[in-house]
């Protein structure tokens, strides 16, 4: 392989099953021309199997495609007719069933058709890469390796890159750079051992949890209550995760460990439990068949009960004292409490952590290059907040090591294998850490191994941080309780919010305006970027109403995509529950309504509009660097910056109508201006009616690509695949704008409005919906207010107004809705119940 940059112009995926189709989807998400191969279908349509798989992609939730229209970019192909097309592919990924014989047969078939520079890779989740390579011609083996995506490929950050003995080193480097920047993945180099790193550790953890859950006679629902978000793991915990993965798939992975790891000290536990095999035999395979460990019956979740061998209502209760211990204690206090407690649930948790730590310590050298790779693989592949070694280090390396040794000696551990010498050496040293800012411990060398020096990682200015690593976010320019403005010595000022969920209150608004003034004096550009997602969950009006200083309590760790409705009527009738709840919480107006301090709220709305306009008309370029949620006011900030750079997994929207309000930080004004700019023959209404629908239905974009389609982002805005490259790209965009001799746009003073004719047209449609009982009277009022603002009020169509006109209309309509009893009831009901109110 040459040192020239590896460019993937075209790729192919072999196998249109669950993983293959979704890998193809993510390749087209990255704008890569992609062929998807499958066995030929019916005689009249040989590509029927692929076409069916692509149609399924459009219906799946969470969506594998960033926007449904990209499905057409996946080109159907079959092995009988289209193998010649492989020669034009730069990358070919095999993703058929986990059968060594089937894969090797396929390799023999496709190898003659691969181009002389094509990289060929397997998506196997655990089969030997070296054994697979044996089926390839010797001339091709240096271009072969494993690329193991995790399910679902669009959302899971981890890709394990597994070389075989003959893999070319330069090829692996090029491939890693492609996977990182082009596909947005976190790449871990894994050794060619069964199930590699993440599945090896993750499945062992699951088996240990099953074993101890059975020992303590805990129900599956209680085990899930104990092993989910309570201990920093996904809400799906253990058995719900098994259902999502597929019980048959889990059984296959367990059997692979049993068959390929005879010398593992824990080998006797590598067996499919009888109850699991029983469910598999009955066809209860998990989520894909709507029945597994869990079974939804009507509106109730039922769980399989080992004693009765049937389903019962799920009701596992976690001990309240244990919850308090886990929530408020330091890591050291937490683990001391678990180990010393006689409470069965605490003993269970100590047991599963102890055996996980023990297993990772014994297996580290065999399966991974260093402790960092193991921890990041588990975090990125299974969604844990921290990896096993991070948890151990945070809790006290020496103390945990001592307790593990004591339990091994007492026969409490699942294995009598001694802790490796390197564990004890660290425990006896001053370091007490496997992770430091200098690197992570590598048992093969006995030294700290620094992070990769591949050029691609220079784009990650602040990579995913591990326990023990120190991070300094530049040099402070100024800092308040609400914001921090800082720089890294390159002329670009960064503004980061400090409020919870980066909500926007008066103090943040003041910080934004101060930052713009500072940037205009001494800096070339201003980037708004948060040290962790979300970008902003929106306006927090609580402080304006005299409430507590802290931000609104959100309780949202990730943005659940709203339900995809098929028509305008259904969308209006059934607002997405997750979106409505988020809006109510972001506004957190309860105190304001109780105190009737609406004047303070109006003052804040005016200040919000001023901050938005300051971003638009500052004398230096402004760039919003968006990752995660950008709701309500957060979205309005994005819309007013000169540029937005957004990660693919950005969830952006003006969603205020969900709780009976409308956008009033300049969002309605922005859409009205964009409609005017797009106007043909001076009529903004054709564009405006689409934007009206977006606002009135509280549309939440489920990707940055969809945000472009809905109009929240502009075509000139940039989508970044890798979230840790976001700041690098945003700063580059800001610098590029500054280099042009940046001047702000001229203020729009003659904006044509749709006027009373546009309002009347929209209202006529709303009347039909109201009379058909598709929307309520209050729904009608809210939508009418949105129409009134976006159409420019009761003016003759084509009348010319300025921006301030729209801003005044926004403020007035917002306050009128806020003063209504029904909007107040919607907000209060949603805050209290977590459900939308249709009144």
């Amino acid at each position: 392989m040459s040192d020239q940059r590896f460019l993937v112009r075209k790729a192919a995926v072999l196998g249109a099953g669950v993983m293959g189709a979704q890998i193809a989807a993510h390749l087209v998400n990255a704008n890569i021309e992609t062929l998807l191969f499958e066995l030929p279908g019916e005689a009249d349509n040989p590509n029927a199997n692929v076409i069916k798989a692509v149609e399924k992609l459009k219906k799946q939730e969470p969506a594998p495609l960033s926007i449904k229209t990209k499905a057409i970019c996946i080109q159907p192909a079959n092995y009988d007719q289209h193998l010649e097309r492989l020669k034009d592919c730069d990358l070919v990924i095999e993703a058929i069933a986990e059968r060594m014989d089937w894969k090797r047969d396929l390799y023999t078939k496709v190898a003659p058709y691969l181009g002389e520079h094509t990289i060929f890779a397997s998506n196997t989740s655990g089969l030997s890469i070296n054994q697979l390579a044996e089926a390839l011609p010797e001339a091709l083996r240096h271009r072969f390796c494993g690329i193991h995506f995790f399910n679902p490929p669009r959302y899971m950050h981890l890709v394990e890159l597994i070389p075989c003995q003959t893999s070319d080193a330069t090829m692996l480097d090029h491939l890693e750079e492609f996977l990182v920047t082009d596909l947005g993945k976190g790449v871990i180099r894994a050794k060619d051992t069964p199930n590699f790193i993440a599945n090896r550790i993750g499945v062992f953890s699951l088996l240990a949890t099953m074993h101890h859950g059975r020992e303590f006679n805990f129900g599956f629902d209680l085990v899930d209550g104990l092993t989910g978000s309570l201990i920093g793991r996904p809400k799906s915990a253990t058995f719900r995760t098994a259902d999502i993965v597929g019980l048959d798939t889990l059984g296959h992975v367990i059997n692979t460990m049993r068959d390929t790891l005879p010398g593992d000290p824990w080998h006797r536990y590598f067996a499919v439990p009888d109850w699991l095999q029983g469910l598999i035999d009955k066809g209860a395979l998990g989520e894909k068949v709507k029945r597994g460990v869990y079974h939804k019956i009507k509106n109730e979740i039922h769980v399989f009960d080992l004693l009765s061998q049937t389903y019962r209502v799920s009701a596992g209760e976690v001990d309240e004292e244990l919850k308090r211990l886990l929530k408020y204690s330091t890591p050291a206090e937490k683990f001391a409490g678990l180990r010393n407690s006689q409470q069965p649930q605490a003993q269970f948790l100590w047991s599963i952590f102890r055996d996980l730590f023990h297993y990772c310590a014994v297996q580290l050298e065999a399966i991974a290059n260093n402790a960092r790779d193991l921890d990041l693989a588990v975090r990125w592949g299974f969604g844990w907040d921290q990896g096993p070694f991070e948890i151990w280090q945070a809790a006290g390396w020496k103390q945990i090591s001592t307790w593990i040794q004591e339990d091994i000696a007492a026969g409490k551990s699942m294995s009598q294998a001694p802790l490796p010498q390197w564990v004890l050496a660290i425990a006896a040293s001053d370091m007490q850490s496997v992770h430091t800012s200098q690197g992570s411990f590598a048992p093969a060398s006995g030294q700290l191994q620094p992070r990769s020096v591949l050029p691609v990682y220079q784009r990650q200015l602040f990579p995913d941080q591990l326990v023990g690593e120190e991070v300094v976010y530049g040099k402070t320019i100024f800092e308040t309780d609400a914001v921090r403005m800082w720089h890294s010595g390159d002329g670009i000022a960064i503004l980061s919010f400090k409020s919870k969920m980066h909500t926007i209150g008066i103090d943040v608004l003041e910080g934004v305006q101060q930052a713009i003034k500072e940037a205009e004096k001494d800096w070339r550009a201003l980037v708004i970027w948060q040290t962790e997602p979300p970008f902003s969950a929106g306006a927090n009006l609580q402080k304006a109403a005299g409430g507590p200083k802290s931000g609104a309590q959100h309780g949202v760790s990730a943005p659940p995509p709203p339900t995809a409705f098929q028509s305008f009527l259904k969308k209006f009738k059934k607002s997405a529950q997750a979106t409505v709840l988020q809006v109510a919480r972001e506004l957190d107006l309860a105190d304001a309504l109780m105190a009737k301090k609406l004047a303070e709220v109006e003052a804040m709305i005016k200040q919000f509009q001023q901050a938005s306009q300051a971003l638009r008309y500052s004398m230096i370029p402004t760039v919003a660097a968006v990752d995660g949620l950008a709701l309500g006011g957060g979205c309005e900030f994005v819309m007013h910056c000169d540029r937005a750079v957004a990660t693919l997994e950005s969830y952006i929207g003006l969603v205020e109508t969900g709780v009976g309000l409308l956008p009033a930080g300049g969002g309605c004004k922005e859409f009205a201006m964009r409609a005017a700019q797009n106007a043909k023959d001076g009529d903004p209404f054709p564009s405006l009616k689409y934007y009206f629908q977006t606002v009135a239905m509280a549309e939440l974009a489920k990707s940055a690509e969809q945000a472009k389609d809905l109009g929240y982002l502009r075509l000139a805005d940039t989508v970044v695949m890798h979230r840790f490259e976001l700041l690098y790209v945003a700063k580059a965009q800001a610098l590029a704008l500054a280099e042009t001799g940046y001047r702000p746009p001229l203020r729009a003073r003659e904006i044509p409005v749709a006027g009373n004719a546009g309002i009347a047209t929209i209202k006529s449609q709303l009347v039909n919906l109201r009379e058909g009982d598709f929307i309520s009277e209050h729904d009608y009022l809210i939508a009418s207010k949105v129409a009134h603002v976006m159409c420019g009020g009761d003016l003759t169509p084509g009348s010319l107004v300025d921006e301030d006109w729209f801003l005044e209309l926004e403020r007035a309509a917002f306050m009128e809705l806020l003063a209504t009893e029904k909007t107040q009831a919607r907000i209060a009901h949603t805050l209290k119940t977590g459900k939308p109110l249709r009144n």
Side-chain angles (χ1 to χ4, degrees), residues 18 125 185 218 221 351 367 415 507 545 622 661 718 739 815:
V18 172
S125 60
K185 296 304 174 186
F218 288 169
D221 48 348
S351 297
I367 67 174
S415 169
D507 47 3
T622 57
L661 294 166
T718 302
E739 288 288 344
M815 297 311 299

Side-chain angles (χ1 to χ4, degrees), residues 420-602:
Q421 188 57 43
W422 66 264
V423 172
L424 306 180
I426 290 175
S429 72
D430 294 333
M431 185 169 71
Q432 294 290 303
S433 305
V434 291
H435 301 303
T436 73
S437 295
Q438 289 70 49
S440 295
F441 185 78
S445 65
Q447 303 293 320
L448 294 175
Q449 186 172 322
R451 287 178 178 263
S452 172
V453 295
L454 284 177
V456 70
Y457 293 110
Q458 295 175 16
R459 297 167 58 89
Q460 296 184 22
L461 304 182
F462 300 99
D464 207 352
Q465 187 182 352
L466 292 159
V467 165
E469 290 183 323
E470 294 182 8
V471 59
V472 178
Y473 292 104
K475 185 176 180 180
T476 300
I477 300 170
F478 79 84
E479 187 169 9
T480 70
D481 289 342
V483 303
R484 177 175 179 257
M485 186 179 181
W486 54 280
H487 72 95
S488 298
D490 52 8
I492 308 297
I494 314 296
L495 183 67
S496 301
F497 302 168
K498 296 164 64 177
S499 52
K500 186 169 184 179
M501 295 289 283
H502 306 131
T503 51
I504 304 167
I506 290 175
D507 47 3
V508 171
L509 294 173
E510 291 171 348
V512 170
Q513 290 173 302
Q514 182 181 347
I516 292 169
K517 291 176 183 177
E518 291 282 348
E520 287 178 333
K521 284 193 306 180
D522 298 316
W523 304 93
R524 303 192 67 189
L526 177 66
V527 174
I528 302 177
W529 175 80
Q530 316 300 0
T531 57
E532 59 184 19
F535 177 77
S536 174
N540 174 19
L541 304 186
Q542 192 177 44
K543 278 190 75 176
K549 286 188 177 181
S550 62
Q553 298 298 311
H554 293 270
V556 176
S557 59
T563 306
F565 298 110
Q566 298 302 311
S567 69
F568 180 83
L569 300 183
K570 287 183 179 179
K571 285 181 178 178
F572 224 117
K573 187 177 178 183
K574 299 180 178 180
S575 293
Q577 178 177 327
T579 303
V580 173
L581 176 59
Q582 182 62 45
V583 176
R585 285 174 167 170
E586 83 172 45
L587 291 169
D588 206 356
L589 289 167
D591 288 348
L593 299 177
M594 293 294 290
K596 301 295 183 184
K597 294 187 177 181
L598 298 182
E600 287 94 330
V601 174
E602 184 172 11

Side-chain angles (χ1 to χ4, degrees), residues 216 218 318-319 322 338 340-348:
F216 283 91
F218 288 169
V318 177
D319 180 76
L322 179 65
L338 293 177
N340 297 326
S341 174
Q342 297 304 306
Q343 209 274 345
Q345 294 181 12
Q347 292 177 348
F348 165 78

